[in-house]
Amino acid sequence: MAQISEKEYLKQTIEVLDKKISENNKKLAQTRSNFELKKQELADNFSDYSRGGDLSSAYSHLADLQSFEAIVEKENARLKNQKAVPYFARIDFKPEKKDKSQRVYIGLGNIIEGNKLYVADWRAPICSMYYDYNLGPASFAIGDKHYDGEITLKRQYKIENGELLSYFDTDLTINDEILQGILSHNASIHMKQIVSSIQKEQNSIVRKDLHDNILVQGIAGSGKTSIALHRAAYLLYKHRSEIKSKDILIISPNNIFSSYISDVLPQLGEDNLVETTFAQIARAELGRPIQTRESMLDEIATKPNQDDLNEISYKSSYEYLDSLLRFLKGPLLETFTPTDLSYVVKEDNDGNKETIDFPAEKTKELFFKTFKGLDLYERINKIAWQYAMVFTEERHYNKQQNAGLRDRFKKILYSFLPIRDVEKIHQIFMARENLKSYKGSSIRYMDKGTYLAIKYFLYGFDHDFSAKYLIVDEMQDFTPVDIYIFKKLWSCPCIIVGDVNQSIEKNVSDDYLQITADFLGCKLLQLNKTYRSTRQIAEFANNMIGVKDIEYVNRNGEEPCIFQTSNEAKTIADIIINKCAQYEHIAIICKCNSEAKALYGKLKGYIDCKIIKEPEDYNNRVLITTCATAKGIEFDVVIVPHANYENYSNTIDKNILYVSSTRALHKLYFTIDKKPSIFIEDLKVYNV
């Protein structure tokens, strides 16, 4: 029997999609009608339902209808999304000891009609072979069972709006022509899914076992954030009975970045994850404003002070974390000085009293020996519970009364600490370390982890931040104290991603990476291939900071260059008008906020532009921002203004220039009005 043509297969697949969408629309209409009827019936007969005791059953029925509607709506959204590109690849796999190969078309989700699988979800075990093998011997596993065989064909498709434009047979995971086409597209206001272009080394991370803790060091443009999100989608698929989207927590750098990545999971047919920032956690627990990272970087960029930089470096070290923990578990705990406790539980007519006594020595033994190794709040909780249970065991209190008694014991035990205020303890620790203790209502960015560690040690946390899976992005921006808090809060599996080369305020060594991986119980993995920028931009940026052994996708473009001018605002406007007409997202990345505001005041007279302050601002074509805000986001064109010798001269400045440069996909320009920075002095200069 002759095989049908590729165009005919695509046509059949789209017909199946249309049929399923139509069936779902009918289900939705019927469900909504049933919901309205049931709601009206409940309203008309509310008294009867109440008297008959069927009220909860009626409400439960309504809830079931709403739940079913949500499931069908989600499925329909995925099908409509997939209709434009039903699949992107195909493999023909001939199982061992079989005569025929089976076709497997690969797309965003399963498309099934009757017993026929038209398209397999990219996360299915058999589809892993597309990413992991070239033509020839291949295998995949389902649970403990392995299936060996041979890939006899690998085909990649270019489909747009349901129309087959072309296809390629290849021996590669991703045909270079297709990959370059994907990477040459303009940036969008939201990060896109990358299932059609996931590389072998990325796929191995996505599909690792749920319980594998992973720390990924990936250079700029290596796809580490995308891989973390696609791993979440994979886990939601493979462990759908155990993990829901609401069970996965992602710690994002800021709200603008959160908005930028917000479309990836919905594109993959999954609900968005729970997102927060570490600063939001700190605000919730400490009840005080937290200095933003952007504000901290602004300070050191505009007024670099060696003492401040030394302090940042120290607070970013494991040595500092060790000093903090030794202080909390040593000198602070040693101030715990209990007294004898005695409680009268019975007194006869002659005044003879029966007491329950807790000698100071017993409390000391429990605190310093029995529960040694626990945080202070855990020791107090255990002692208070143990003491309260004595009253229950001797039948003076029941279990309900015992809970109140336990809370009273906790207050008494805490009173044995002469200093138990988080702020005061922080001040004492700073003094011991010969560090400044900043006054004011807000907490300094570099101190938020220390405050949290002190509070957690003393009292635990007030809020529940539990999750079944944790994603942490921009790992290099967190200090060891912050990472210690992560370890305390989340014992669940995790993926931590970042790039030590993009650390702005400090230098991070390879040793630090391995120490962090060991501290968290993670396997350290490296991604050394960059996909974002043209080769010219990527090589320039990596040469600037001396990064070696980087692989590049062979996508060529213009060399980065400098424009020297006496009117930077007008020159920037001319660059955008004359050199960037085809590009949709252009970022002017400034060194600090004051520079961004000053440039905006001048540039808005020449061209429509916007300073990024809120996520919705990112929708504008021409954006003015800072390096700290732009981190993690990509743009078609990046322009770095005021790249003078005086403005970018030290290590912090070099780091800022590196991060700013690596945001560019297609073009990178610098403007100066004086001598260029030493970090860009080899670039060609155009006088305008």
Side-chain angles (χ1 to χ4, degrees):
M1 184 172 142
Q3 297 276 17
I4 64 171
S5 70
E6 290 288 7
K7 283 194 173 182
E8 181 61 28
Y9 191 86
L10 178 60
K11 180 184 174 186
Q12 287 183 11
T13 304
I14 290 174
E15 286 172 355
V16 171
L17 279 167
D18 284 335
K19 180 183 176 184
K20 288 192 164 296
I21 291 168
S22 176
E23 289 172 351
N24 281 342
N25 286 335
K26 290 176 183 175
K27 289 179 187 176
L28 286 170
Q30 185 62 53
T31 302
R32 287 163 184 160
S33 174
N34 291 344
F35 181 83
E36 291 302 321
L37 287 171
K38 189 67 181 177
K39 190 168 70 171
Q40 189 60 51
E41 179 189 340
L42 179 59
D44 293 341
N45 302 283
F46 188 81
S47 297
D48 293 339
Y49 275 109
S50 299
R51 284 195 298 271
D54 294 328
L55 197 57
S56 62
S57 176
Y59 279 127
S60 177
H61 188 193
L62 287 173
D64 288 344
L65 288 169
Q66 284 183 311
S67 177
F68 180 73
E69 180 184 358
I71 291 168
V72 177
E73 280 182 335
K74 181 179 175 182
E75 171 69 5
N76 236 18
R78 196 265 297 175
L79 294 171
K80 289 175 182 177
N81 181 40
Q82 196 168 347
K83 186 177 173 182
V85 184
Y87 46 85
F88 55 83
R90 164 188 157 193
I91 56 172
D92 288 5
F93 178 67
K94 187 166 80 68
E96 202 171 52
K97 299 179 181 178
K98 298 282 184 180
D99 295 329
K100 287 186 177 181
S101 295
Q102 59 184 103
R103 288 187 181 187
V104 182
Y105 286 82
I106 304 168
L108 283 177
N110 291 325
I111 301 175
I112 303 170
E113 173 68 7
N115 294 322
K116 182 172 177 59
L117 177 67
Y118 281 82
V119 178
D121 192 302
W122 66 278
R123 297 167 289 187
I126 195 170
C127 296
S128 66
M129 293 189 295
Y130 168 71
Y131 301 102
D132 290 342
Y133 294 98
N134 296 330
L135 293 180
S139 66
F140 68 98
I142 300 177
D144 295 331
K145 192 165 184 181
H146 285 260
Y147 298 86
D148 297 314
E150 178 186 4
I151 294 177
T152 59
L153 180 140
K154 289 188 77 168
R155 182 167 288 176
Q156 293 150 35
Y157 301 89
K158 188 174 183 181
I159 300 172
E160 291 181 6
N161 298 318
E163 183 182 350
L164 178 62
L165 302 181
S166 61
Y167 61 84
F168 299 82
D169 289 346
T170 179
D171 188 29
L172 305 172
T173 300
I174 305 294
N175 179 279
D176 192 56
E177 182 177 342
I178 288 182
L179 181 58
Q180 289 197 33
I182 292 168
L183 299 176
S184 297
H185 286 169
N186 286 345
S188 70
I189 63 171
H190 294 293
M191 181 183 281
K192 298 175 182 176
Q193 55 84 8
I194 59 165
V195 294
S196 64
S197 59
I198 291 174
Q199 302 293 289
K200 182 176 180 178
E201 72 275 10
Q202 297 171 328
N203 185 56
S204 70
I205 296 172
V206 168
R207 295 177 187 262
K208 282 197 174 295
D209 185 86
L210 169 63
H211 299 290
D212 286 346
N213 291 324
I214 310 163
L215 191 155
V216 179
Q217 157 58 31
I219 62 162
S222 58
K224 52 192 173 293
T225 300
S226 286
I227 293 311
L229 294 171
H230 284 68
R231 174 155 174 75
Y234 172 74
L235 294 175
L236 289 169
Y237 171 86
K238 186 174 182 182
H239 302 279
R240 50 190 172 272
S241 62
E242 307 164 49
I243 301 177
K244 309 298 179 190
S245 294
K246 63 182 176 59
D247 299 321
I248 302 179
L249 176 66
I250 179 168
I251 308 293
S252 293
N254 53 52
N255 291 333
I256 291 170
F257 181 82
S258 296
S259 174
Y260 176 62
I261 65 172
S262 62
D263 267 11
V264 175
L265 269 297
Q267 287 172 22
L268 296 171
E270 303 292 350
D271 294 330
N272 264 321
L273 314 177
V274 178
E275 290 188 48
T276 189
T277 65
F278 192 52
Q280 287 171 332
I281 291 173
R283 278 196 298 271
E285 280 302 319
L286 301 171
R288 291 171 61 182
I290 309 294
Q291 181 191 28
T292 64
R293 176 170 173 77
E294 290 77 5
S295 172
M296 182 272 288
L297 291 177
D298 241 33
E299 287 181 2
I300 64 171
T302 55
K303 298 176 184 176
N305 176 289
Q306 193 57 49
D307 288 341
D308 291 341
L309 295 177
N310 290 342
E311 181 181 319
I312 288 172
S313 178
Y314 178 49
K315 288 180 178 177
S316 301
S317 69
Y318 278 95
E319 180 187 355
Y320 175 80
L321 171 62
D322 185 57
S323 292
L324 175 61
L325 296 181
R326 278 192 284 109
F327 165 71
L328 293 175
K329 295 175 181 180
L332 179 64
L333 285 187
E334 287 164 10
T335 66
F336 183 79
T337 312
T339 59
D340 294 335
L341 300 176
S342 183
Y343 298 89
V344 177
V345 292
K346 190 182 294 183
E347 184 175 359
D348 61 23
N349 294 332
D350 296 328
N352 298 313
K353 298 176 182 177
E354 182 184 335
T355 62
I356 294 178
D357 300 311
F358 304 102
E361 285 307 312
K362 178 175 177 60
T363 305
K364 277 186 181 180
E365 184 178 347
L366 289 170
F367 189 86
F368 290 108
K369 293 183 179 179
T370 306
F371 301 124
K372 182 181 179 181
L374 299 180
D375 289 339
L376 184 142
Y377 83 93
E378 293 175 304
R379 301 185 195 198
I380 285 179
N381 282 347
K382 286 185 177 295
I383 296 169
W385 181 257
Q386 187 167 315
Y387 282 4
M389 283 301 294
V390 173
F391 288 82
T392 304
E393 289 163 0
E394 297 191 11
R395 300 184 180 180
H396 296 294
Y397 285 87
N398 59 36
K399 287 187 178 180
Q400 189 173 3
Q401 293 169 320
N402 179 275
L405 185 59
R406 180 192 57 194
D407 291 340
R408 284 165 57 194
F409 270 119
K410 282 173 64 175
K411 287 182 181 179
I412 293 167
L413 291 166
Y414 271 115
S415 74
F416 296 153
L417 277 174
I419 300 173
R420 48 191 177 275
D421 177 73
V422 173
E423 177 63 46
K424 288 182 180 177
I425 292 171
H426 181 268
Q427 290 173 4
I428 292 168
F429 176 67
M430 289 294 108
R432 287 173 60 93
E433 296 293 305
N434 293 315
L435 295 170
K436 287 183 283 187
S437 185
Y438 298 93
K439 295 181 180 178
S441 60
S442 66
I443 293 172
R444 304 278 292 181
Y445 176 82
M446 291 301 299
D447 288 332
K448 65 187 184 307
T450 306
Y451 274 95
L452 283 171
I454 293 170
K455 186 190 176 188
Y456 190 89
F457 185 77
L458 259 69
Y459 302 107
F461 279 173
D462 302 324
H463 301 82
D464 180 11
F465 300 105
S466 60
K468 292 183 179 178
Y469 195 80
L470 176 69
I471 300 173
V472 179
D473 205 347
E474 301 292 351
M475 166 274 298
Q476 72 281 354
D477 292 349
F478 296 106
T479 69
V481 178
D482 300 336
I483 293 166
Y484 167 79
I485 295 298
F486 295 159
K487 190 173 180 179
K488 283 290 185 180
L489 282 179
W490 298 289
S491 57
C492 60
C494 65
I495 181 169
I496 316 288
V497 301
D499 178 16
V500 294
N501 302 305
Q502 294 184 61
S503 180
I504 294 173
E505 71 277 16
K506 58 186 183 290
N507 290 320
V508 183
S509 67
D510 289 341
D511 288 345
Y512 176 90
L513 272 175
Q514 191 58 60
I515 291 168
T516 300
D518 293 342
F519 183 70
L520 289 170
C522 290
K523 184 175 182 181
L524 177 60
L525 302 173
Q526 306 264 356
L527 292 175
N528 291 322
K529 190 170 184 179
T530 179
Y531 301 92
R532 177 185 295 136
S533 307
T534 62
R535 187 182 186 96
Q536 288 76 8
I537 294 171
E539 285 185 338
F540 158 75
N542 288 314
N543 287 337
M544 185 197 304
I545 62 168
V547 176
K548 307 292 185 184
D549 302 321
I550 302 302
E551 292 183 61
Y552 303 93
V553 173
N554 195 26
R555 184 169 70 86
N556 290 304
E558 289 182 12
E559 292 284 350
C561 63
I562 303 169
F563 289 90
Q564 184 157 18
T565 173
S566 59
N567 187 339
E568 284 191 281
K570 183 178 184 305
T571 297
I572 289 170
D574 289 342
I575 292 170
I576 293 169
I577 293 166
N578 299 321
K579 293 182 173 292
C580 308
Q582 73 270 42
Y583 297 116
E584 298 170 8
H585 284 88
I586 300 162
I588 302 156
I589 303 181
C590 299
K591 182 177 179 180
C592 59
N593 277 307
S594 58
E595 188 180 287
K597 289 175 184 175
L599 180 63
Y600 174 68
K602 297 174 183 176
L603 189 61
K604 66 181 180 180
Y606 294 102
I607 197 168
D608 183 34
C609 56
K610 185 93 174 180
I611 292 183
I612 298 182
K613 293 179 181 176
E614 302 294 335
E616 54 267 25
D617 295 334
Y618 189 64
N619 297 337
N620 290 269
R621 177 173 180 254
V622 179
L623 298 164
I624 300 175
T625 185
T626 63
C627 171
T629 302
K631 181 180 277 197
I633 303 174
E634 60 187 28
F635 304 90
D636 293 319
V637 180
V638 167
I639 301 170
V640 180
H642 209 49
N644 298 330
Y645 181 88
E646 297 85 355
N647 201 30
Y648 289 96
S649 59
N650 58 39
T651 302
I652 300 291
D653 298 334
K654 180 172 68 173
N655 294 342
I656 291 172
L657 278 179
Y658 174 75
V659 174
S660 299
S661 299
T662 56
R663 303 305 95 206
L665 273 75
H666 309 300
K667 293 190 176 185
L668 173 63
Y669 302 113
F670 300 88
T671 65
I672 59 173
D673 58 2
K674 297 176 185 174
K675 182 181 176 182
S677 164
I678 57 172
F679 306 118
I680 62 170
E681 61 185 2
D682 292 336
L683 296 180
K684 188 169 183 178
V685 179
Y686 295 92
N687 290 292
V688 292

